[in-house]
Amino acid sequence: MSTKSALRPRYLKLHAILVFAFLFLPIVVLVVFSFNKARSATDFTGFTTHWYHDLIHNENALRAFRTTLKVAITATVLATIIGTLASFALTRFRFRGRVGYSTLIFVSLVMPEVVMGVSLLAFFTQVAHMKLGLATLILAHTTFCIAFVVVVVNARLASFDNRLLEAAADLGATPLQGFLRIVLPLAAPGIAAGAMLAFTISLDDVVITFFTAGAGSNTLPLYIFGQLKFGVSPSINALSTFVLVFSLVLLAIAGLFSARSAKRGVTAIDVNALG
């Protein structure tokens, strides 16, 4: 019995190694072949940075990247504001239809992207009579990002101690002061995590973007998807590697901000200052 117990950690370590290899080995191959000297996607013939040099001077790719950033940043800001306020309302107040509102918010998490893309396309063109372009793209990304922000912020606010707000109210704080000086600092790590998740999802969306983007609003994922029709080349690998590194840097920054916000939220709140 003790022998089996001693072997279990080894099996678990082996299992973890295999899982991580399955998840990250394709990414490693992608990065390696972005430095491939030849255009082959199967044979590595030598090291070169030629494809990254071409990427820097590829105006179409740079234009698509700028559009992607505009859409992702704007949609993240809007989704974070709306999602945070919705989370606060759903966790702090009891009102008629609260369960229904919660269900409707989470519909986008389980709805197939094709269905959401077609429905948004029909709404923009048939109901709102909007011309497809950057505005419809931002609205579409904001729509499906809100649910992700709500999920993350809800998880943070679920453990919130309401006695802090009650104590602040006893000391003369208004509801707005309590929200700005108590709830927001404590919820900041969850808000940052939700915003980062929304930004990442918006950054690499293809399906919904395909249905709601118009002329002149081509994003980087759509550009990469279009280039794949001509085959996988090192230039596509280089572009994908650039997006990967960019996402990792943003995740690292968000992680640092979340950790500092969590520490500051625990130590910096002075309820007595609200009196």
Side-chain angles (χ1 to χ4, degrees):
M1 191 68 177
S2 61
T3 304
K4 292 182 179 180
S5 299
L7 291 176
R8 284 175 185 171
R10 297 181 182 179
Y11 290 135
L12 290 176
K13 290 179 181 179
L14 178 61
H15 179 266
I17 292 174
L18 292 176
V19 169
F20 281 109
F22 177 78
L23 292 175
F24 295 108
L25 191 58
I27 299 177
V28 174
V29 173
L30 169 73
V31 175
V32 170
F33 273 86
S34 68
F35 296 98
N36 191 12
K37 194 171 186 179
R39 297 188 63 90
S40 173
T42 56
D43 299 324
F44 190 86
T45 59
F47 180 88
T48 183
T49 58
H50 170 72
W51 308 110
Y52 288 93
H53 182 271
D54 285 353
L55 178 61
I56 297 175
H57 296 85
N58 189 333
E59 185 57 34
N60 292 329
L62 295 178
R63 187 184 304 112
F65 180 66
R66 287 193 293 267
T67 302
T68 301
L69 285 183
K70 291 179 183 178
V71 173
I73 293 174
T74 308
T76 298
V77 172
L78 294 176
T80 302
I81 294 174
I82 298 173
T84 300
L85 294 177
S87 298
F88 183 74
L90 292 173
T91 54
R92 286 284 303 151
F93 302 103
R94 298 293 182 267
F95 51 89
R96 182 180 298 179
R98 174 174 169 271
V99 176
Y101 284 119
S102 299
T103 302
L104 289 176
I105 288 176
F106 297 127
V107 163
S108 60
L109 294 176
V110 297
M111 182 185 298
E113 286 192 337
V114 173
V115 176
M116 179 170 285
V118 173
S119 62
L120 288 172
L121 173 63
F123 176 80
F124 291 142
T125 57
Q126 303 299 324
V127 179
H129 301 290
M130 297 177 64
K131 184 178 180 181
L132 295 181
L134 190 62
T136 58
L137 192 56
I138 291 174
L139 290 175
H141 280 229
T142 302
T143 300
F144 68 77
C145 285
I146 288 175
F148 294 95
V149 176
V150 171
V151 169
V152 178
V153 179
N154 268 358
R156 181 70 180 180
L157 292 178
S159 59
F160 179 77
D161 190 353
N162 291 326
R163 291 175 298 180
L164 292 174
L165 286 177
E166 295 173 359
D170 290 339
L171 294 171
T174 64
L176 181 59
Q177 286 178 323
F179 176 76
L180 294 177
R181 302 181 66 174
I182 293 181
V183 178
L184 278 184
L186 288 175
I191 296 174
M196 195 64 243
L197 180 61
F199 183 85
T200 304
I201 293 172
S202 174
L203 193 69
D204 65 357
D205 181 78
V206 175
V207 179
I208 298 177
T209 303
F210 177 80
F211 285 100
T212 56
S217 57
N218 194 35
T219 62
L220 195 58
L222 286 183
Y223 176 80
I224 295 175
F225 181 76
Q227 292 298 310
L228 287 176
K229 297 178 182 178
F230 305 100
V232 180
S233 67
S235 60
I236 298 299
N237 293 335
L239 188 56
S240 302
T241 302
F242 171 76
V243 175
L244 173 65
V245 174
F246 182 77
S247 301
L248 291 177
V249 171
L250 289 178
L251 285 174
I253 295 174
L256 293 174
F257 175 78
S258 180
R260 293 183 62 182
S261 298
K263 183 178 179 181
R264 203 163 43 235
V266 174
T267 60
I269 293 181
D270 185 5
V271 178
N272 292 324
L274 298 173

